[in-house]
Amino acid sequence: MLERLFQLKAHNTTVRTEVLAGLTTFLTMAYILFVNPSILAETGMDHGAVFVATCLAAAIGSAIMGLLANYPIALAPGMGLNAFFTYTVVLTMGYSWQTALGAVFLSGAIFFLLSIFKIREWIINSIPLALRSGIAAGIGLFLAIIALKNAGIVIDHPATLVGLGDLSQGGPLLACLGFFIIAALAYRKVTGAVMIGILAVTGLSIALGLSRLDAVVSMPPALAPTLMQLDIMGALDIGLLSVIFAFLFVDLFDTSGTLIGVAQRAKLLDQDGKMPKLGRALLADSSATMAGAALGTSTTTSYIESAAGISAGGRTGLTACVVALLFLLSLFFAPLAGAVPAYATAPALLFVAVLMMSSLAQIDWDDLTVAAPVAVAALAMPLTFSIANGIAFGFITWTLVKVLAGRWRDLNPALVILSALFVIKLGFFA
């Protein structure tokens, strides 16, 4: 049955190799089980229900990817978009988490339609690679400031907006230690470095009496507080159009980049350098986003950490299905997730930020018509506390600088139209 489903011999792999690859991928991305509930709970969502939704969304997405596309790529709620969901859409813009879930569902539905009608290629080719890199770096900076805030390392200051927190307290010190551990272990290529760092800080916190652990294993918490609570009609508010676009835009480019990058590493590209069954993979991703929103979590997307499983030999969808099974087993570890303090997940956020900011290395800094829009997009996200604003400022700056510099031939209709829409959005519907 496994041979028929996953074509193991054709991919020169075995069941044992695929299982080990799945375990490796899971260990590298399991940190989301602790981080996602911690972030979304700040909106007022039930922590236990979000934990269950995270497990189920990851399991459903990974299983669909494995069975439909036969790719060794795992999915789970995405970093960056969960922070955007909480800190921008709910806490800053003032929408309810139910409405925010509706926006996530709509972005997934649009992604689904784009995948079916093959409009995805036109959109991706319309956006310059440099601008995409700047947006990825901006999301990294956005995560970084959230991480430093959650750790108590950066605090608000009435005169300077931000200031240094009290580093004599246990939380900030443990957060710093956690980041050092994660970075060092990742450099040494230790599998599960991020999760090890989170658990190490949590263990020290419990030992020092700063937090408590009542149990490790239990029956899964109730999903009812978030199940089917999304407000789709509320998400159709015109003020949320840019939010839906931001969810869609980031998921679209993040997923496409992850899929192609991981497939290239696994040598799954065809002779023309294209990814067979890319449409199926995108359908799996968009379906997982819609399912996740219905369950009660932010955008579900493909994980670049899948590359770890591929390095361990994973070549087929069996790897992704093993990850799905492990996420289902994680349902019984909710007490452990609930015992993880914010300053234990902050190092994970900061480490992911470091990885995302590396995309700035691809920028041609000698070309100011490229460098200026990229810098604006990257800086606007943390400083306005919004991914959507960063994308908007990036598009507008790119278009206007190119026109004024006499480089209007570098533009395409999609860029101009989107820039004009962003000007209208910021000017009249901010």
Side-chain angles (χ1 to χ4, degrees), residues 162-318:
V162 293
L164 183 65
D166 185 359
L167 296 185
S168 66
Q169 297 297 311
L173 289 175
L174 287 176
C176 292
L177 177 62
F179 178 73
F180 300 152
I181 291 172
I182 292 171
L185 291 179
Y187 173 78
R188 292 175 174 270
K189 301 189 184 322
V190 175
T191 300
V194 176
M195 190 172 68
I196 291 171
I198 292 173
L199 293 177
V201 171
T202 301
L204 285 171
S205 179
I206 293 169
L208 295 171
L210 299 175
S211 57
R212 53 182 292 180
L213 176 64
D214 297 322
V216 175
V217 179
S218 73
M219 292 300 293
L223 182 61
T226 60
L227 179 63
M228 296 302 294
Q229 296 298 309
L230 66 170
D231 180 6
I232 296 176
M233 294 306 296
L236 293 174
D237 182 286
I238 194 166
L240 272 175
L241 289 180
S242 65
V243 169
I244 295 171
F245 177 80
F247 280 130
L248 170 65
F249 183 90
V250 176
D251 190 22
L252 178 65
F253 287 99
D254 188 44
T255 296
S256 300
T258 297
L259 290 174
I260 293 171
V262 171
Q264 187 172 21
R265 186 172 298 189
K267 298 180 180 179
L268 297 174
L269 301 180
D270 61 20
Q271 294 178 344
D272 298 324
K274 296 182 179 180
M275 188 175 179
K277 296 182 288 188
L278 176 60
R280 291 188 181 187
L282 292 172
L283 287 175
D285 194 288
S286 54
S287 299
T289 291
M290 291 188 287
L295 292 166
T297 184
S298 53
T299 306
T300 303
T301 188
S302 302
Y303 261 59
I304 192 64
E305 284 85 349
S306 302
I310 287 170
S311 298
R315 292 295 180 271
T316 73
L318 181 55

Side-chain angles (χ1 to χ4, degrees), residues 3 13 18 24 118 124 128 131 148 184 207 219 283 296 306 313 317 407:
E3 174 60 36
T13 185
E18 296 292 300
T24 301
K118 299 184 178 179
I124 290 177
L131 189 54
L148 295 172
M219 292 300 293
L283 287 175
S306 302
R407 298 269 298 273

